[in-house]
Amino acid sequence: MGDSFRALERPQPGRQKDIVLMATVSSFESLAHPSRSDQRQFHELFVPTYLASSDEARRQAVAALSQCAAVPEATALFIAREPIGIAAIFLTRSAALSPRLLMEILHTASPAHARAIECRDDLSPQTIERLVDLHREHRSRGPVTVEPAATEARRLAREEDLREELKALVRAQAPAETGPTGLAAIGEVHLALIVRFARAGETGMFCVTLADALGSSQWLSERILLDVSGLQLATTLVALDAPAEDSAMMLARLYPHLAEAAEAARGGNRAAALVADLGRAACIERVESWRRADAYTYAGQPPAPANSDRGSDRRQADIDGAGNRDGENRRRAAQG
């Protein structure tokens, strides 16, 4: 990974801390076997970004990490000691919490935190014994205050499950026209534009055009670009059926580490190897899931334009003109 996580610490104008937090978690999730260095760098970036983010972003980040088998111990302990409204799902579901860590958490756990741990299916005999002792201690101190704390963790877990069920139900019952249309192959104009913007390093315009090609909000295209491994953008380009040569060029320009030579047996660079390893059917399925989540989140709430209407009209005219010129150049090259 090298300095992949460190890259997210650089100034990123216009991007909120919430987006950076989710991008940090997404980058860590993409690591099948994170090294000690990866875990250390992730923890060092996660904590300050988490503290600067909104409660909703914190909850989403913790929910995502609760599904990761490998979470740095320092990060796991940090999350476990957060307010129960955020920590409950991690305490009840995370496979990264070993019996030793659970025992350490229980030394200072509140009644609500202890009840969340009690909901786990993989408790060791020592952990169960410790929970029983805590239950006796809390009951002896004041049974009146134990009951609300005892039900809080279970209530939060039920609310989380119910929230997911309601989201699925709303998506299923919504009229077809309110959801995103099926993902289509990228058009010639959109392709010419993203190639041009990638070559020029204009990531802002690249995100605007990619969002238009996906039929999504700009937030989704920005999050895709924030995956410093390049895997999410490669997945998107393959799903859009962009030419492999153009995809490899864009990946190499936007993620310099992918411009490095690949293994001798494969030839080319790492960007070309990454594109070649992806199957379009699987990529379409993954990108469609992103688009569905994006459509649900931003339904009826299109992002506000950055400039005035007149400025936006001028910018759109520039985009259309650039697309027409690049498209014509690509046709001439193909005929030549």
Side-chain angles (χ1 to χ4, degrees):
M1 278 299 296
D3 293 331
S4 297
F5 295 121
R6 293 298 184 190
L8 291 173
E9 293 181 309
R10 298 168 188 159
Q12 300 176 28
R15 293 194 177 105
Q16 299 178 352
K17 289 290 186 179
D18 289 1
I19 297 177
V20 178
L21 174 63
M22 295 310 299
T24 303
V25 173
S26 178
S27 296
F28 185 75
E29 285 181 303
S30 68
L31 300 176
H33 302 288
S35 65
R36 290 184 179 179
S37 176
D38 291 333
Q39 295 193 34
R40 176 180 55 78
Q41 291 180 15
F42 170 72
H43 179 70
E44 290 175 355
L45 178 58
F46 174 82
V47 173
T49 309
Y50 172 93
L51 294 174
S53 300
S54 66
D55 286 344
E56 179 62 20
R58 293 179 182 182
R59 189 188 65 80
Q60 292 180 6
V62 170
L65 288 175
S66 69
Q67 301 178 42
C68 293
V71 176
E73 283 194 5
T75 307
L77 289 172
F78 173 81
I79 294 173
R81 290 162 178 162
E82 283 296 281
I84 191 62
I86 294 175
I89 189 171
F90 191 81
L91 292 171
T92 57
R93 301 182 181 181
S94 176
L97 292 175
S98 64
R100 180 179 60 80
L101 283 179
L102 289 173
M103 292 294 288
E104 184 173 346
I105 293 167
L106 287 172
H107 280 305
T108 56
S110 70
H113 287 69
R115 288 291 179 179
I117 294 174
E118 187 177 317
C119 295
R120 296 176 66 90
D121 297 327
D122 58 348
L123 294 176
S124 67
Q126 293 81 3
T127 306
I128 294 174
E129 183 178 352
R130 177 58 182 161
L131 285 168
V132 171
D133 291 340
L134 285 175
H135 180 68
R136 290 172 180 168
E137 291 174 9
H138 294 317
R139 183 161 50 182
S140 64
R141 291 172 185 171
V144 175
T145 60
V146 169
E147 184 58 27
T151 58
E152 180 68 9
R154 293 182 185 274
R155 181 184 67 79
L156 290 170
R158 286 197 302 270
E159 285 183 359
E160 180 65 24
D161 291 336
L162 181 59
R163 186 181 293 110
E164 294 302 321
E165 290 176 8
L166 287 174
K167 287 181 180 180
L169 185 61
V170 169
R171 287 195 296 267
Q173 294 182 347
E177 60 269 16
T178 64
T181 57
L183 183 66
I186 192 169
E188 188 174 340
V189 173
H190 282 123
L191 177 61
L193 287 172
I194 62 173
V195 167
R196 173 181 177 178
F197 293 139
R199 183 178 288 116
E202 298 179 17
T203 55
M205 296 305 295
F206 183 94
C207 286
V208 171
T209 310
L210 182 61
D212 196 37
L214 288 170
S216 71
S217 72
Q218 189 175 335
W219 185 90
L220 175 59
S221 63
E222 288 183 347
R223 181 171 179 182
I224 288 171
L225 207 64
L226 276 170
D227 174 19
V228 295
S229 71
L231 178 59
Q232 290 190 15
L233 179 57
T235 300
T236 304
L237 294 174
V238 171
L240 289 171
D241 202 21
E245 183 177 353
D246 289 334
S247 298
M249 184 280 295
M250 289 185 279
L251 288 165
R253 287 298 183 102
L254 295 172
Y255 307 100
H257 68 279
L258 293 180
E260 299 172 1
E263 298 175 2
R266 306 188 66 171
N269 58 19
R270 294 174 62 186
L274 178 59
V275 172
D277 287 341
L278 296 173
R280 187 164 186 245
C283 290
I284 289 176
E285 182 178 356
R286 187 170 187 187
V287 173
E288 287 285 26
S289 69
W290 297 343
R291 293 172 72 239
R292 285 193 297 270
D294 180 72
Y296 175 79
T297 304
Y298 292 95
Q301 303 177 25
N307 302 314
S308 64
D309 292 340
R310 182 176 300 176
S312 298
D313 291 342
R314 286 201 303 269
R315 182 179 66 179
Q316 187 61 47
D318 292 341
I319 292 176
D320 292 341
N324 292 336
R325 289 194 298 273
D326 283 1
E328 182 62 29
N329 291 338
R330 291 174 64 82
R331 285 194 292 274
R332 290 177 179 174
Q335 293 172 358

